[in-house]
Every structure is written in C-alpha cells, then in structure tokens.
Amino acid sequence: MTSNNRYGEYKQSKNTPVCDTPESDIQQSISQSLSYTREELEKFFSHSHDIVMQPSRYGAAFQYEALSVHCSTIVEEKEVLFLKSAFLDIVAQESEVFHTIEPENIVHFFENRGVTSNRVSIVEALADAVKQIMSGHVVIFFDSWNKALSFNAFSVESRAVNEPITEPVVRGPHDSTTEDLTKNIGLLRTRLRNHLFKIEMFSTGGDCQTTAAFGYLEGAVNPETLKEFKKRLEATKDVEILDTSFIEELIEDSTYSPFPQYRYTERPDTGIAAVLDGKIIVMVSGSPSIMICPGLFAEFFATSEDYYYRTVEATLLRQLRIIAFFMALMLPSIYIAMSTFHSELIPTVLLMAVLETREGIPFPALVEALLMEFFFELLREAGIRLPRPVGSAVSIVGALVIGQAAIQAKIASPIMIIIVALTGIASFSMPQYSLGVALRVLRFPLMILSGTLGGFGLMMGLLFIHLHLTSLRSLGQPYLATFAPLRIRELRDVWIRAPLKTLLRSPRNKHMHKQRKS
C-alpha cells in the first residue's frame, strides 16, 4: 500500500485550472480507466484540501491499482482499513490467497453480493460517487471496473442527549433530540417499537443535499392527509433545506397568517404522542426540532406533561393557559378601550385610582401602551440575543430600571406598567413559542383599533381574527377542528384533560379504530 496523498498537497501549481464544473457535467458512468476517473475527481474536488485520495496497488506483482477517496473531516479514523477488509472478505469466501486477488475476483464477489464485514454499496455513476464522498462515505475505485465500492464511515462529533432547552421538564422524560438525525430516529424507535411506525427518508436538492425524514403510524394517520403531505413535500426536494422551519414555510397553507400551522418539539415523548394521535412528524439532519403536522389550534394549549399529572392538576393548568392566551391578546386593548371610551364601565373607586395614577401623564393611553409594549419587546429580544448568563440579568434589571424610571418621569402610569408586565407573563405561558409570537403580532393592531374606535374597534378586530381562524387550514385540515366543525367527544381533551382511562379507551382517531377493528 502506498502512503496517503492529500489532494490539496499536490494540486497547488499555477497551471492548475479552477474547477467550476456543475454536477450536471459529471452525470456519467464510472470509467474503467482508473486514471481517467482520478482526473475527473481532481477537477471536481479542486481546492478542497480535506479530500483525501489514497492510491493503492494489489495483486501478485502489485500490477493492479485501486483508489480510495474520502473527506477526512467527516469520516472515521479507520477509513484505510476498508480496502483491506474487502480483500479479506474475498479471501475468506472464495478461497483465494491474498496476494493473488485480481480485478475479476473483486467484480465477481461484489456484483454477486458476497457477505462482507462492513456495510457496502455499489455505485455506478460518478455523480453518485461524489455525493457519497461528500456524505461521509469512503469510495474505492478499481482499474478495469466501471463501478465503485462505497463504505459508510460518517463520523462527526454531535451534541449529547441532554434535557430539552426550549421545553423545560418538571415531570416526565428528560431526554431531548439533537442535531443527529440517526440518533433522533433511534430515540423515537425506542419508544414506539411497532412495525407500523414508518420512517421515510429523502434528500433535498440544491447544494446542501440535506437528509430529512418523516414518520407516521400506519393505521393511525389519515390516508388523505398523508397523501396531501407527500404531494406538498415534492415541491421542497429541489430547494435548499437547512432546518425543519424551511419545510414548514414551503408546505404550509397560509404563508402570511400570524398563527402557526405546525407544532414543534424537542422531546421524543411529545413526538411519539403525536404519531400515536395520527400526526406526521418531520425531522431534518442538523436540526434538533421535530415538526408535527397538521397542527390544530386546540393542540397548541396542550403539553406532554398534561398526561403525566393527575386529571385535576392537568385540567387546571390547561385552563390557566387558555386564560393566559386571552390576557396576552386583549388585556392592553381592554384597558385602552375602557379608560378612553368606556370609563363608565369601570367601578368608581377603581376609576378614581386609575385617574390618580395617570395624573401628569402627557400621553393618551394608546401612546402610553404602545411605548411600554415597544420597550418590553425590545428588552425581551435583547435577553434572547445576549449570552445566556447575561441575558436573563439584563432582562430583569432592565425591566425594573426602565419601569421605575418611566413612572418617575411621568411617561407611564403604574397601572400601565402592571398591565404590560401581566401581558408579557401571559405570553410566556404559551407551550409553543410560535403561538406567543403570533399573540405579540396581533396585540398591536388590536391596541390601535381599541384606541381609535373603543370597544367597537376591539370587537371588529376579534371578529376578523375569528373569521381568519375559521378559514385557515393546516395540511388541508380545518384549523379550528374540534370547535368548527364541532366534535363534542374530542372536547374532553381540549378545555379539560379527561382521565387517562377514558382517553386511552376512546382515542380521537376514528380511522384508527376502523382499521384495527377490521
């Protein structure tokens, strides 16, 4: 065997052409001439210093050549052993002597699928070989053979399985998904060991060639929903995909709707619960997020922990989130409308207290609320973008200092500071961050309507939101399903969380019942 030759170490002469060959120009079969194949690979991988081309010789007089190609930054350290391992497999099964192996033995053994000690696949096109190399495979080319062997040697350091960052756990499993797609699928498989749990993998197009996967439980998922999902997914296969959110925006029904149409999670137990409920989950290599679709409005108020608590506790927490939703959406608007247009609706004692706190404030309630909401959103964004140890301190101290300074400077009243703080706390209680963002977007138009038209403007805004929700679809399903159309039996897992013995005996998937009974 000859020593390693890194492509970047001997392709530095001034006469070396810069390769700008697109992938369409190498859509050809592998040549039987190893020297020609090497020239094509050198053109394609020009200026890629982590591409290693390792020539080797074998045979009785070392008269035959082989070329091992891999990307050193994404493969295991033992990649040089694959060629030796392949020869040992041939010797063991065809009773050959190691030094007498010829190209005919290699072709006969691998084209007839001989038993190998490593996972190997046969590559026929040069473009496929290049794609395999960039995916962490070791590809070995042989002289006088128009195919190549591809060994999976991908190895990149990944984050260990820790507690979920975006979904803190009080009760229940404490593991979370990572950026490793294979590891994430394994976490799901360990919880749902059923042959009906299907995982389909695909590669996206463009330059990234990202690997993605979607899973569903056969017999539980709605066949029409699955068909529609696959149809929309076809439109994403020629697009650069870096995260599951890219797929979300490409397949969602309404791009400009403020309401999220799909849910996200980093918890494997939440993903499996969704699959058992007939949902489709989507994962992308390099992203820890699991996208759950379709996402219905009522499901954004539930968490996996609801099913780990007793019924009374879970019901109380869920109703608390529903109340927080309306507070985050309407509390500033109600205050603006009542203090500006409908002060007669406020009890006299409370009204006098409000007027006393507003004495000396130069702004109307609408401007005051918009200013405080703007400062609060600015502090929240700063807390997210700053390093974690600093961010929380800046958010808390900044809110205290600015709030106290605004009151002393007569820019805002104490009651407005309290309302803005309660609104922010209510938005933080949403299980899905995307729903909290939607409330932040809708809050400002409602405040403006309340400040200009009073209660009538607020009712108009709520009516428009309701009309939008009733017309919205998630993967073709009504967004307000359970409410519109009304499904009374499913309400036991919306406003309340019925006992598990009731939910487990009567799952909400009607089609799952029919298929399993038949």
Side-chain angles (χ1 to χ4, degrees), residues 27 40 138-139 173 186 226 238 279 289 300 334 388 395 493:
Q27 295 292 342
E40 291 296 311
V138 175
V139 180
L226 181 61
D238 296 326
K279 305 293 182 180
S289 301
F300 284 88
I334 292 174
R388 189 174 301 172
S395 299
D493 197 18

Side-chain angles (χ1 to χ4, degrees), residues 92 165 218 279 380 443:
I165 299 174
E218 192 175 280
K279 305 293 182 180
R380 171 155 43 185
R443 191 183 305 144

Side-chain angles (χ1 to χ4, degrees), residues 289-359:
S289 301
I290 299 176
M291 186 175 74
I292 302 172
C293 51
L296 306 182
F297 181 70
E299 296 168 352
F300 284 88
F301 298 96
T303 66
S304 291
E305 291 189 50
D306 290 348
Y307 304 95
Y308 302 144
Y309 290 112
R310 299 174 66 245
T311 300
V312 176
E313 299 168 355
T315 300
L316 177 62
L317 291 175
R318 189 170 296 183
Q319 291 180 352
L320 192 64
R321 294 186 207 112
I322 295 172
I323 295 172
F325 170 83
F326 289 106
M327 286 178 59
L329 180 64
M330 297 189 300
L331 187 58
S333 303
I334 292 174
Y335 171 75
I336 293 170
M338 294 185 69
S339 62
T340 307
F341 293 94
H342 312 290
S343 56
E344 68 277 3
L345 298 177
I346 305 176
T348 305
V349 178
L350 179 60
L351 178 61
M352 295 300 293
V354 171
L355 292 176
E356 185 179 350
T357 59
R358 282 191 51 80
E359 186 177 353

Side-chain angles (χ1 to χ4, degrees), residues 91-262:
V91 169
Q93 296 184 54
E94 297 200 354
S95 301
E96 297 287 343
V97 182
F98 193 92
H99 66 273
T100 62
I101 293 178
E102 298 186 353
E104 291 78 9
N105 303 115
I106 298 172
V107 173
H108 177 266
F109 180 81
F110 285 101
E111 288 195 346
N112 288 280
R113 304 293 180 184
V115 179
T116 60
S117 55
N118 296 290
R119 292 176 295 175
V120 61
S121 59
I122 298 178
V123 183
E124 299 183 1
L126 191 58
D128 293 335
V130 170
K131 188 182 296 185
Q132 296 273 38
I133 293 169
M134 300 312 299
S135 298
H137 287 232
V138 175
V139 180
I140 303 176
F141 301 87
F142 297 91
D143 203 6
S144 303
W145 192 27
N146 61 349
K147 298 179 184 178
L149 301 180
S150 177
F151 297 87
N152 186 2
F154 179 80
S155 178
V156 174
E157 291 296 326
S158 60
R159 183 166 55 93
V161 177
N162 295 315
E163 290 195 17
I165 299 174
T166 59
E167 298 174 274
V169 180
V170 177
R171 182 179 298 179
H174 286 248
D175 56 345
S176 70
T177 52
T178 67
E179 289 75 14
D180 189 336
L181 179 61
T182 304
K183 188 180 294 183
N184 294 341
I185 295 175
L187 290 172
L188 296 172
R189 286 286 189 189
T190 56
R191 284 177 166 81
L192 185 54
R193 302 176 183 181
N194 192 326
H195 68 282
L196 295 177
F197 179 32
K198 309 298 182 182
I199 296 287
E200 298 188 29
M201 304 184 72
F202 62 95
S203 295
T204 60
D207 295 326
C208 292
Q209 298 290 324
T210 307
T211 303
F214 64 92
Y216 56 90
L217 185 61
E218 192 175 280
V221 66
N222 191 322
E224 294 299 323
T225 302
L226 181 61
K227 181 179 178 181
E228 179 65 21
F229 172 79
K230 290 183 177 180
K231 178 182 175 182
R232 297 186 187 186
L233 200 62
E234 288 295 325
T236 70
K237 296 197 175 175
D238 296 326
V239 183
E240 303 288 354
I241 301 296
L242 300 177
D243 189 79
T244 47
S245 57
F246 284 51
I247 298 179
E248 175 193 11
E249 189 165 346
L250 291 170
I251 70 173
E252 64 184 353
D253 293 69
S254 180
T255 303
Y256 297 103
S257 173
F259 288 95
Q261 295 150 57
Y262 304 109

Side-chain angles (χ1 to χ4, degrees), residues 13 18 155 174 182 225 233 272 313 337 353 355 413 423 435 460 466 472-473 492 508:
S13 65
V18 176
S155 178
H174 286 248
T182 304
T225 302
L233 200 62
I272 289 300
E313 299 168 355
L355 292 176
S413 61
T423 304
L435 182 60
M460 283 183 57
H466 180 69
L472 193 60
R473 295 286 186 274
R492 59 190 167 197
R508 63 180 63 180

Side-chain angles (χ1 to χ4, degrees), residues 413-488:
S413 61
I415 186 67
M416 180 57 72
I417 299 295
I418 293 172
I419 287 175
V420 171
L422 288 175
T423 304
I425 293 171
S427 66
F428 288 143
S429 65
M430 295 297 101
Q432 291 284 317
Y433 180 76
S434 54
L435 182 60
V437 173
L439 295 176
R440 292 159 63 183
V441 172
L442 294 171
R443 191 183 305 144
F444 288 94
L446 288 180
M447 289 165 59
I448 294 172
L449 286 172
S450 299
T452 53
L453 299 175
F456 176 71
L458 177 59
M459 294 304 297
M460 283 183 57
L462 294 177
L463 180 61
F464 282 129
I465 293 174
H466 180 69
L467 291 175
H468 172 68
L469 289 174
T470 54
S471 63
L472 193 60
R473 295 286 186 274
S474 177
L475 209 61
Q477 300 296 314
Y479 193 62
L480 287 182
T482 302
F483 304 113
L486 182 63
R487 300 168 183 170
I488 297 177

